Amino acid sequence: MFTDLAHAATQASWDASKRHPFIQQLQAGTLPGDTFRYYLIQDHYYLHEFGKLHDLAAEQSQDPRVIKQLRAGAESLRQGEIAVRQTFFDRLNITPEEVTNTAVAPTGYAYTSHLYRSLMTAGPAGAVVGLLPCYWLYAEIGQALAGTGSPVPIYQAWIDTYNADDYTGSMKDQLALANYVATPENTHQLLDIFEKSSWYELNFWQMALDHEDWSLTPSKKSSSLSTN
């Protein structure tokens, strides 16, 4: 199946995501609060574009199964992950003004641009596969962290989001959809899209640790991380 090929092709980057300092610190409870705050704001931007991609791909598709699943995925995202994120915003007092005044980071901008390009160049199948690593990798991370958990309640709530039955059920639906849209003719192109999305997932963690912005020189936070 396509998903078997995709998982094998990206095993190294996925393992690196699971071992990334952001994830290790979140589990240990040592992740700085301002870093988690920055991550949430950047992920807020990403998730809204992620939802739009579902709707755009559904509009372009002529296949009833693809349309139905993409619409369901967009609704599940709004009712599930985005809704949970809002509770995090409320707990941390992240205001709409703070979100507006925080620019989308270069990595997040590039990632979402890649997703739109995937739709433009490979059609709805490209969007389905481009979106898949976010669903799938987060579910694997949630499962991996569930046994130990985190001593920080809001970090534990983040872990619980991705180990919940409704989230993993939606992820499995997306796996099935990816296998449905993959063909012998488009598999090579779809694997390239999947691998690039997986690369961006890995670099999203580092973006958060660095508090990445559009400065021409590395931030003090990024410089200190690179020398420790």
Side-chain angles (χ1 to χ4, degrees), residues 23-218:
I23 297 299
Q24 293 179 332
Q25 291 173 27
L26 183 142
Q27 182 173 31
T30 59
L31 184 70
D34 65 334
T35 296
F36 189 64
R37 186 184 195 91
Y38 174 87
Y39 160 81
L40 288 176
I41 293 173
Q42 293 298 327
D43 203 44
H44 170 83
Y45 295 133
Y46 172 82
L47 288 175
H48 279 272
E49 298 303 322
F50 190 81
K52 289 178 185 177
L53 256 297
H54 282 74
D55 290 328
L56 283 173
E59 289 173 6
Q60 292 189 20
S61 178
Q62 303 297 317
D63 188 310
R65 175 176 173 179
V66 174
I67 295 169
K68 180 179 179 180
Q69 182 56 48
L70 285 169
R71 296 289 191 202
E75 184 61 23
S76 177
L77 180 71
R78 285 186 281 266
Q79 297 299 322
E81 195 171 0
I82 290 177
V84 171
R85 282 291 193 274
Q86 186 57 51
T87 69
F88 292 170
F89 276 34
D90 293 343
R91 290 165 70 173
L92 297 175
N93 195 30
I94 297 174
T95 66
E97 291 74 22
E98 183 177 357
V99 173
T100 299
N101 292 329
T102 303
V104 180
T107 296
Y109 183 89
Y111 190 2
T112 54
S113 297
H114 156 68
L115 294 177
Y116 282 107
R117 185 180 188 278
S118 299
L119 174 60
M120 290 179 64
T121 59
V128 168
V129 169
L131 297 166
L132 183 58
C134 183
Y135 279 103
W136 196 1
L137 177 61
Y138 270 63
E140 288 202 0
I141 289 174
Q143 183 179 34
L145 299 185
T148 303
S150 175
V152 177
I154 197 167
Y155 297 170
Q156 182 60 49
W158 183 92
I159 293 169
D160 291 341
T161 300
Y162 299 109
N163 195 47
D165 289 343
D166 56 348
Y167 182 84
T168 56
S170 181
M171 181 272 294
K172 290 175 182 176
D173 290 340
Q174 295 301 319
L175 288 176
L177 187 62
N179 286 322
Y180 176 71
V181 299
T183 67
E185 293 74 26
N186 69 12
T187 289
H188 179 78
Q189 184 180 25
L190 296 186
L191 281 174
D192 181 67
I193 290 170
F194 187 91
E195 289 175 23
K196 285 183 170 64
S197 288
S198 296
W199 186 92
Y200 280 117
E201 286 293 335
L202 172 59
N203 283 273
F204 207 91
W205 310 122
Q206 192 63 44
M207 174 202 73
L209 280 186
D210 291 346
H211 291 218
E212 183 185 78
D213 59 24
W214 294 89
S215 300
L216 297 180
T217 56

